[in-house]
Amino acid sequence: MFRFMRNAARTQWPGHGEQKLVEITIFGKKFQVPERNSLLRCFQFISPETVPYGRFCWNQDCQYCRVTCQLPDEDEPHEMLSCKFIVMPGMEIMEMSQELKWCLRAKLPADTPVTS
């Protein structure tokens, strides 16, 4: 399992060295994640105990990592694959696949519906 050493603005991530953290919002809850990583990798950072065991292919074939998010410089939300999109500071994830919800269920707000 991963062990992270975090402070307010930087983190040590095994094999990645020290990285700057950026803030994103998932269903209204704010998270600090490492910059310059795919959104799916950031989900793994948020929940290292569950995301690595999800049914994700990491190469866009499975579609289990689909999210809908609002980017800070865009007017309309976009649907995208989290394995292909690099995280942006200030992005807000408004919807995600059931597979992602299941893997992140312990970290999401309590009122987020998760089905098995």
Side-chain angles (χ1 to χ4, degrees):
M1 262 313 90
F2 293 113
R3 292 194 181 224
F4 302 107
M5 296 171 51
R6 301 180 189 189
N7 67 27
R10 298 190 109 38
T11 186
Q12 282 288 122
W13 195 0
H16 297 278
E18 186 173 274
Q19 293 186 346
K20 179 182 172 192
L21 298 176
V22 297
E23 185 172 89
I24 63 170
T25 305
I26 304 173
F27 294 117
K29 185 175 179 181
K30 296 190 182 306
F31 293 91
Q32 296 285 321
V33 297
E35 69 176 354
R36 297 190 313 257
N37 281 278
S38 74
L39 189 53
L40 185 55
R41 181 73 62 199
C42 291
F43 293 152
Q44 183 178 9
F45 179 80
I46 292 168
S47 186
E49 311 84 23
T50 58
V51 173
Y53 301 104
R55 298 178 297 168
F56 306 111
C57 65
W58 296 83
N59 65 7
Q60 80 188 7
D61 287 341
C62 72
Q63 304 285 306
Y64 287 137
C65 66
R66 188 170 295 280
V67 298
T68 301
C69 66
Q70 179 72 47
L71 303 177
D73 55 352
E74 300 281 333
D75 294 331
E76 297 293 321
H78 297 279
E79 192 170 280
M80 60 187 64
L81 296 175
S82 60
C83 66
K84 291 295 179 187
F85 191 80
I86 302 299
V87 71
M88 291 178 65
M91 69 187 306
E92 181 175 351
I93 290 93
M94 304 170 335
E95 190 53 59
M96 62 178 49
S97 70
Q98 286 302 317
E99 184 75 12
L100 278 170
K101 284 181 184 176
W102 179 254
C103 289
L104 294 170
R105 67 191 179 278
K107 308 293 183 176
L108 297 176
D111 62 347
T112 304
V114 178
T115 58
S116 53

